[in-house]
Amino acid sequence: MQVWEILGIEPTHEISAIKKAYAAKLKIHHPEDDPAGYQQLREAYDQAIKLAKRQQKQTSRSNEEQEVYATLDVTQEDGSEAEDIAEHEEDELYDEDDGPQRIPRMVIWKEQDQGRDDPESEAEHFIGRVERLYRDFPSRIDSAQWAELLNSDVVWNIKLQSGISGRLLDFLEEHYFLPKEVWKLLDSAFHWSGLVAEDKESFLEQYPKVYRYAFAESYEAANMGYSLLLSAGEIDHEAYLHYREEAWLALKNHDLAAANHSLQKARELFDADPDVIRLEAEYGWRSGESERTFAMSNRLNQLCPDQIDGYLYRSRIWMQDGKLPEAVQDLQRILAQFPDHVLALSLAGTCYKKLGDLEKAKEMFQRILALDANDIDAVLALAEINALTIKDLRARRVKGRGRVIRKLYRELGKTPLLKQLKKAAYFFVSYKWLSLICIVALHFWIASSFVKHTGETPLAYLSEMVRPLKITNVSSASKWELMPPEEAAVRIELTDASYMAIQEVKAKDGNGKETTKYLSLDEAKKQGLQSNITGHLSMGYLDGKAILVVGNYKQVKEIYDFQRIELEGTVRSMPDELKTEIENWKNRSSNSGISKPLPLSDKYIDATTKPSKKALPSLPLRIYFYLFILGLFYISVLRELRRVSKLFGYN
């Protein structure tokens, strides 16, 4: 039969042999690579299993039927003993292709154990097999064993598949270190890619690790190898794989300290994994540890001589140490495998230029421009090479150099300034269009936040912040009256000044709230508030206008000694408590020594502290975050602008 030819085995009724043959053929006819071959293989497998089970059932009935009739109490439907089934009737019970045909009599077995597991038990049994397979590392990375497991009848049971799929996803979200081949087998069995296509966000939120390892091609940790870990011996493979993943994530996030820690932990368990050695080389390069990078590059080249990463890292170290021929040798090895490797071409061009082989250098950068005509670095490098070539030709006075120089000038692109500006603008916008959009959006968000929280635009807020304090010289009573309270800082000279023996006292009331009182010195002592005195009241005159001053001890001493003072302070409105105390003072101080009348101003000068600007409203944290991000974008744009400006260097 064609079934056995497809499976590649002789006809057999051994189910285990059929499954092994199927697993072997599955490697050739993978559902992703050969769907038609896979469909044919699956149909052959199903037919072979059906034939094997039918034959086993017939054999089992032939061998056991007599024993069953002898040991069990058999009755007919009407309660009488069943007669022996005639031989010809027994033959009619089975059809060669369709199994059981008919039952000539209804036979009731008084003692019979069906022994079939319920769906929950079958699912539990399957997940148990998955766990055992995962715990054994060699089995875990063997795609043939996973293929055999996934061809269990329970997986193909439509009623059970959905429940098993959910439980398996829950398990794999915590146990996800599997080769890509195994993930493909799992997806082909449970069709998770369909769930991702239907609702990627929901799947990613519920099973982020499954998504990254099974579907995210950019998640490099999912593409690292497993087979070489078989030579690691009896290590904690799960811990090792966690360290490896953490090292890659740390390097991706530029956290060098965390990367070094994870690499060290991984190296303590196993030190011959090319993927970890590659990460160590990257760490060494970023951290400036040249010796470490060089050592890891050599180790990587020994383990994987056909891979290019080790040669790429080593070529950089050769260049850094000035060993250009050695660097060129490594780079040419890379280009032999990957002729369009842009970084290798650029490094090789730089090496040739430093070695003086301008023709080779020119070839490297021309190959880059053939791949990407907008590569600014390649354009600039070619311009520099052409300029060096012209200089060399002029120095050597080679015959026909004029024609060659004119050709090189044409290559240098001696174009009008306007055309060069357009070209530079095109380069700049094509590389930084997203950054420019983000800068505009951030300016809008920052301006909106400033107006919302401060009532000022960012420029007005910044202007107020940097503007120095303006102190106004007040030389007349009319000018004094124009000073706005709570804002104006003034410099003023008062005459006929005298100390009033009134103290400004700040104390807390019964509710803990700070209050300001104005008390005579005797009253302050009586209330035990001497230590709470914050100012001393005096009075002086400006153009016949009495002005109150709350000053410090040094200022009061000057007033007491000279009856005049020049001071700086802040104009404030006189509170009701102070007005009341002034009236009391006038009543108890008729002999105070002040001979002039008291046309007292309703404003006073607070000179206890130096004048200062009004405090600006505080900014919310998110504005500082926006400003930080805006700064990063500006740095990126300015760097690109500087790079593009080099286009004019040879015009």
Side-chain angles (χ1 to χ4, degrees):
M1 293 178 68
Q2 192 179 8
V3 169
W4 309 111
E5 293 176 6
I6 294 172
L7 290 171
I9 60 174
E10 294 296 324
T12 179
H13 302 308
E14 294 292 332
I15 292 178
S16 60
I18 295 171
K19 288 186 175 181
K20 286 181 181 178
Y22 174 73
K25 288 289 184 179
L26 192 61
K27 295 179 180 179
I28 302 172
H29 304 289
H30 192 275
E32 298 249 344
D33 304 327
D34 183 13
Y38 169 74
Q39 181 65 29
Q40 188 181 40
L41 176 64
R42 182 69 201 186
E43 290 174 357
Y45 169 76
D46 291 340
Q47 184 66 18
I49 292 293
K50 182 178 179 181
L51 291 171
K53 288 184 176 179
R54 181 183 303 154
Q55 181 61 35
Q56 288 181 3
K57 190 181 292 183
Q58 290 176 352
T59 304
S60 175
R61 280 183 175 270
S62 299
N63 294 337
E64 297 177 8
E65 192 174 60
Q66 295 302 322
E67 182 181 351
V68 171
Y69 272 92
T71 57
L72 298 179
D73 184 11
V74 182
T75 61
Q76 293 188 32
E77 240 179 337
D78 59 3
S80 61
E81 285 193 31
E83 298 176 1
D84 291 340
I85 298 175
E87 187 175 337
H88 69 279
E89 291 179 334
E90 182 179 348
D91 292 337
E92 292 173 356
L93 290 176
Y94 296 92
D95 178 77
E96 182 178 354
D97 294 323
D98 300 322
Q101 282 287 314
R102 65 183 182 84
I103 300 178
R105 299 184 181 90
M106 180 64 71
V107 179
I108 301 173
W109 304 88
K110 289 188 176 179
E111 296 182 18
Q112 184 175 11
D113 182 10
Q114 298 293 338
R116 293 187 177 179
D117 291 335
D118 60 84
E120 182 64 26
S121 298
E122 292 187 45
E124 191 72 36
H125 177 67
F126 177 80
I127 296 299
R129 292 179 64 189
V130 169
E131 292 177 359
R132 289 192 295 275
L133 192 59
Y134 188 90
R135 283 198 299 268
D136 182 50
F137 187 76
S139 301
R140 182 200 304 189
I141 65 174
D142 185 355
S143 57
Q145 294 197 43
W146 283 97
E148 183 178 352
L149 174 62
L150 293 173
N151 280 296
S152 304
D153 291 338
V154 66
V155 175
W156 300 99
N157 187 324
I158 300 300
K159 296 180 180 179
L160 298 176
Q161 192 177 70
S162 177
I164 290 175
S165 174
R167 294 184 61 173
L168 185 56
L169 283 171
D170 291 337
F171 174 79
L172 293 174
E173 182 60 25
E174 301 297 328
H175 308 83
Y176 43 83
F177 292 119
L178 292 169
K180 273 291 184 183
E181 296 79 9
V182 174
W183 282 110
K184 289 179 180 178
L185 285 174
L186 291 166
D187 181 43
S188 67
F190 294 99
H191 311 292
W192 294 329
S193 53
L195 297 178
V196 174
E198 289 175 8
D199 191 352
K200 176 182 173 182
E201 295 301 322
S202 177
F203 190 94
L204 181 57
E205 182 180 357
Q206 191 172 4
Y207 304 110
K209 287 295 184 181
V210 171
Y211 178 82
R212 288 166 192 156
Y213 271 79
F215 304 107
E217 293 299 325
S218 61
Y219 198 75
E220 188 179 323
N223 298 310
M224 294 182 182
Y226 289 84
S227 58
L228 281 176
L229 300 185
L230 291 172
S231 62
E234 297 296 325
I235 68 167
D236 187 342
H237 291 90
E238 199 73 2
Y240 176 83
L241 293 169
H242 274 290
Y243 289 135
R244 188 171 75 173
E245 181 185 37
E246 288 167 1
W248 177 77
L249 286 171
L251 284 173
K252 183 184 178 188
N253 296 323
H254 307 290
D255 188 347
L256 295 182
N260 190 38
H261 172 76
S262 297
L263 288 170
Q264 182 179 351
K265 289 290 186 182
R267 189 168 56 249
E268 289 172 0
L269 292 173
F270 183 52
D271 63 354
D273 181 1
D275 289 309
V276 170
I277 294 172
R278 187 179 298 107
L279 294 176
E280 288 218 50
E282 177 66 21
Y283 168 81
W285 177 253
R286 291 197 200 179
S287 61
E289 298 181 27
S290 301
E291 293 182 2
R292 184 172 180 177
T293 304
F294 190 76
M296 292 300 106
S297 301
N298 286 333
R299 187 81 191 282
L300 197 56
N301 293 338
Q302 291 172 359
L303 291 171
C304 307
D306 295 330
Q307 294 184 12
I308 67 170
D309 294 306
Y311 299 106
L312 191 60
Y313 283 115
R314 192 169 68 179
S315 67
R316 288 173 164 181
I317 300 300
W318 288 133
M319 291 178 66
Q320 188 173 281
D321 294 343
K323 298 180 179 180
L324 300 177
E326 291 86 345
V328 167
Q329 187 176 356
D330 279 348
L331 292 167
Q332 287 295 355
R333 187 162 188 165
I334 296 170
L335 293 172
Q337 294 185 60
F338 302 97
D340 295 338
H341 197 290
V342 174
L343 179 56
L345 287 169
S346 179
L347 293 174
T350 302
C351 286
Y352 283 125
K353 184 177 69 175
K354 291 181 178 179
L355 288 169
D357 191 343
L358 299 182
E359 285 299 319
K360 272 286 188 181
K362 188 173 182 178
E363 179 193 343
M364 296 297 108
F365 290 112
Q366 283 177 335
R367 285 166 64 177
I368 294 175
L369 286 180
L371 298 169
D372 180 8
N374 296 328
D375 192 304
I376 295 178
D377 292 324
V379 171
L380 294 173
L382 280 173
E384 185 180 354
I385 290 168
N386 282 353
L388 290 172
T389 304
I390 292 170
K391 183 179 179 180
D392 180 63
L393 287 170
R394 283 176 173 170
R396 290 192 290 119
R397 299 184 179 276
V398 179
K399 184 180 179 180
R401 68 180 185 275
R403 178 174 52 82
V404 177
I405 289 174
R406 285 192 296 273
K407 179 183 177 183
L408 291 174
Y409 270 129
R410 285 195 298 271
E411 290 183 6
L412 281 172
K414 293 291 183 177
T415 54
L417 181 61
L418 181 59
K419 189 172 181 180
Q420 283 287 64
L421 283 171
K422 289 181 179 178
K423 186 177 181 181
Y426 171 76
F427 278 134
F428 178 71
V429 174
S430 64
Y431 277 93
K432 289 297 175 183
W433 62 271
L434 181 59
S435 296
L436 294 173
I437 292 174
C438 290
I439 286 174
V440 172
L442 283 168
H443 273 291
F444 174 76
W445 287 329
I446 291 170
S448 299
S449 295
F450 263 90
V451 172
K452 179 180 178 181
H453 291 279
T454 68
E456 302 276 2
T457 65
L459 286 178
Y461 188 91
L462 183 62
S463 175
E464 182 64 25
M465 183 185 294
V466 300
R467 181 175 61 83
L469 177 67
K470 181 181 178 182
I471 299 179
T472 304
N473 287 310
V474 178
S475 56
S476 64
S478 58
K479 195 170 184 179
W480 164 260
E481 293 299 332
L482 295 175
M483 292 294 103
E486 312 304 332
E487 293 182 11
V490 298
R491 184 181 294 108
I492 193 168
E493 183 177 357
L494 300 176
T495 59
D496 294 332
S498 60
Y499 171 54
M500 301 172 65
I502 299 175
Q503 321 305 318
E504 181 186 68
V505 178
K506 292 190 177 181
K508 292 183 179 180
D509 60 16
N511 297 323
K513 183 180 179 181
E514 188 175 76
T515 59
T516 302
K517 299 180 180 181
Y518 298 92
L519 305 173
S520 66
L521 185 58
D522 291 339
E523 186 64 26
K525 289 180 179 179
K526 186 185 298 183
Q527 296 184 24
L529 297 175
Q530 299 96 314
S531 61
N532 295 77
I533 294 174
T534 56
H536 309 273
L537 271 67
S538 302
M539 186 181 295
Y541 287 87
L542 177 67
D543 286 350
K545 171 75 76 173
I547 299 176
L548 201 66
V549 176
V550 179
N552 54 39
Y553 177 79
K554 183 178 179 181
Q555 292 163 339
V556 170
K557 181 77 166 54
E558 185 177 346
I559 289 172
Y560 183 81
D561 291 339
F562 303 104
Q563 288 79 51
R564 64 186 301 124
I565 190 170
E566 183 177 353
L567 49 75
E568 293 179 355
T570 305
V571 179
R572 302 200 187 281
S573 297
M574 191 176 296
D576 293 337
E577 297 87 349
L578 183 54
K579 290 179 181 178
T580 301
E581 184 58 30
I582 293 298
E583 291 299 321
N584 294 336
W585 173 80
K586 287 196 296 185
N587 293 332
R588 66 175 181 265
S589 305
S590 56
N591 298 322
S592 60
I594 296 180
S595 58
K596 294 186 178 182
L598 288 170
L600 188 62
S601 173
D602 59 356
K603 296 178 289 189
Y604 73 97
I605 299 174
D606 181 1
T608 55
T609 57
K610 287 187 176 182
S612 60
K613 292 193 299 181
K614 183 180 179 181
L616 294 171
S618 60
L619 299 176
L621 185 61
R622 70 168 174 271
I623 289 183
Y624 292 103
F625 175 74
Y626 290 157
L627 289 171
F628 174 73
I629 299 299
L630 181 63
L632 294 180
F633 275 116
Y634 266 118
I635 291 172
S636 172
V637 166
L638 290 174
R639 283 180 177 174
E640 184 65 21
L641 192 62
R642 180 175 176 272
R643 198 163 72 100
V644 170
S645 67
K646 293 180 181 178
L647 285 171
F648 299 99
Y650 63 91
N651 187 29

